[in-house]
Amino acid sequence: MKFIYLLIALLLAPVVAAQTPLTVKASPLLMQQIKIITLGSSQVHESLRLPARVELDQERIARIGATVTGRITETQAVIGQEVRKGERLATLNSTELGMAQSAYLKTRSQLALRQLVANRAKRLFASDIIPKAELEERESLLSEADIDLRTATDQLRVFGMSDADLARLAKERKIHSLLPITASIQGTIVERTVTLGQVVQPSDALFTVADLSHVWVVAELPEQQAHWAHEGDEALVTLAAIPEQEQRGRLIYVADMVDPQTRTVTLRMDIPNPLRIFKPQMLATLVIYKQSTQELALPDSAIIRVDDRDHVFVQTAPDEFTLKPVKLSARNGAVRQVLDGLQQGEKVVIEGGFHLNSERQRKELG
């Protein structure tokens, strides 16, 4: 039994020794190669770099199509063309539109006729020539005709006819089966999917018009870092194609849900683009900055890696230094935030730690 206890003690001895703080006594020559600072709080600026891309501002884009089935008889716009709101992009010939106009004219005539009949019935009823039930029947027919006209009018408005178009149709009583397809916003045509003679449906997107004066920069944040970004955080955008064109701003959107396919959270930043320098689908880098805080921090030069852990040398006497394990934040430039292992006021070696560690290893081997 004594042998077993002795064996356990021998096995544990190296572990205990490895956990014991190691002190190194520096020679006068070694002291000249060492730089020491008193650990204090300093401003820590955290940042996160993410791959990103330039996209169209979805709030400044319009997909324009036909409001009625028909055949394209003219096209007036091409990709890259600047257009104004209301400008004609193409012309559509639609028999469906002609039939709707015909129905509108018929309901207008029907309404006028029933209005005359109802007025005559009112006069006859006032003279006790017809009963009240007959008057009510005539007025009911008038109400139905009014509803039919409203329905026909609404149909033509859905098809894209304005009040001025309706007034002209009522006055001239001529059917116009040609309908202009117009831009709903001012911008640049970035997509066109229509050709002359093509038959189109209301569900077809024929043109895409975008206001390129502003664009979005979109990035995907891994869900493990989802806590890192918030709407309003300061951000910086750089583009590989034009590195000199940096843009600073703030995040305008941080998704509330994780994409189940990519396991990421979508981030978005808006940047002005008056000169059209930033092209949609350009590759970019989005750097997000956290508000600076007062934290214990060390320069990266102070860190010594021992047994895959971060350590620093702390001065315990004028010429003596102890190797202490520390827990640090991820690298942020040349500064590391101290999370555990050190206290404010301790004297830490920030230059020459390599020489101290070499001396420590030499003594271990000796």
Side-chain angles (χ1 to χ4, degrees), residues 13-14 24 29 44-45 49-50 54 63-64 71 112 114 127 150 168 171 175 262 298 301 317 324 336 338 343 354 359:
V24 179
L29 180 61
V44 176
H45 302 270
R49 300 175 68 87
L50 296 171
V54 179
R63 290 179 173 83
I64 300 164
R71 185 181 298 277
R114 291 186 178 182
S127 301
R150 291 177 183 273
R168 185 178 67 252
K171 180 180 179 181
I175 294 175
T262 62
L298 282 174
S301 59
K324 295 183 65 174
R336 304 282 293 277
V338 179
Q343 300 294 326
F354 173 79
E359 181 68 14

Side-chain angles (χ1 to χ4, degrees), residues 93-340:
N93 189 345
S94 172
T95 56
E96 187 178 348
L97 175 62
M99 292 173 62
Q101 291 178 355
S102 176
Y104 171 80
L105 293 175
K106 288 178 181 178
T107 54
R108 280 186 64 90
S109 298
Q110 188 75 6
L111 178 64
L113 178 61
R114 291 186 178 182
Q115 183 69 61
L116 292 174
V117 172
N119 291 341
R120 182 172 178 274
K122 287 180 182 179
R123 293 194 299 269
L124 293 176
F125 174 74
S127 301
D128 288 331
I129 298 175
I130 61 172
K132 184 176 181 181
E134 187 172 342
L135 172 62
E136 290 176 348
E137 182 181 356
R138 299 294 184 268
E139 289 178 337
S140 176
L141 292 174
L142 174 63
S143 179
E144 290 178 3
D146 183 60
I147 293 173
D148 290 342
L149 179 59
R150 291 177 183 273
T151 302
T153 302
D154 289 343
Q155 183 68 59
L156 290 178
R157 286 199 176 105
V158 169
F159 286 168
M161 293 189 67
S162 64
D163 290 339
D165 295 331
L166 292 171
R168 185 178 67 252
L169 176 61
K171 180 180 179 181
E172 298 177 358
R173 300 187 64 80
K174 292 181 180 179
I175 294 175
H176 300 275
S177 59
L178 297 179
L179 182 70
I181 298 172
T182 59
S184 54
I185 64 170
Q186 179 174 325
T188 304
I189 296 177
V190 295
E191 186 177 9
R192 168 182 153 167
T193 61
V194 65
T195 57
L196 194 64
Q198 180 178 338
V199 176
V200 298
Q201 305 289 333
S203 59
D204 298 336
L206 309 181
F207 297 92
T208 300
V209 178
D211 177 1
L212 299 176
S213 62
H214 281 254
V215 291
W216 284 348
V217 174
V218 179
E220 304 298 332
L221 179 68
E223 66 174 313
Q224 296 85 349
Q225 298 171 305
H227 65 281
W228 228 93
H230 300 86
E231 187 175 323
D233 282 351
E234 183 183 354
L236 170 71
V237 172
T238 59
L239 289 94
I242 40 176
E244 70 280 2
Q245 291 291 336
E246 294 184 347
Q247 289 288 325
R248 292 188 177 273
R250 296 189 179 276
L251 297 181
I252 62 170
Y253 172 77
V254 177
D256 293 318
M257 296 181 63
V258 174
D259 187 317
Q261 302 299 322
T262 62
R263 311 308 306 173
T264 58
V265 174
T266 301
L267 310 179
R268 189 183 302 148
M269 176 181 169
D270 176 86
I271 57 175
N273 189 31
L275 301 179
R276 310 294 194 270
I277 294 174
F278 305 106
K279 312 292 185 183
Q281 301 311 314
M282 272 185 168
L283 297 180
T285 298
L286 180 66
V287 184
I288 309 168
Y289 294 99
K290 282 289 189 183
Q291 188 173 3
S292 60
T293 56
Q294 289 283 346
E295 303 286 352
L296 295 180
L298 282 174
D300 207 30
S301 59
I303 313 305
I304 303 295
R305 293 289 292 178
V306 178
D307 297 330
D308 292 327
R309 290 191 61 189
D310 291 328
H311 293 71
V312 296
F313 278 104
V314 176
Q315 188 178 34
T316 54
D319 59 352
E320 290 185 354
F321 301 89
T322 299
L323 185 66
K324 295 183 65 174
V326 292
K327 185 177 180 181
L328 305 171
S329 67
R331 280 183 171 83
N332 179 28
V335 176
R336 304 282 293 277
Q337 182 184 348
V338 179
L339 303 178
D340 191 26

Side-chain angles (χ1 to χ4, degrees), residues 9-39:
L10 290 172
L11 291 174
L12 292 178
V15 176
V16 173
Q19 294 176 345
T20 303
L22 297 176
T23 300
V24 179
K25 189 175 182 66
S27 64
L29 180 61
L30 185 54
M31 287 295 296
Q32 296 177 11
Q33 304 178 57
I34 294 172
K35 183 176 180 181
I36 302 167
I37 64 167
T38 300
L39 188 63

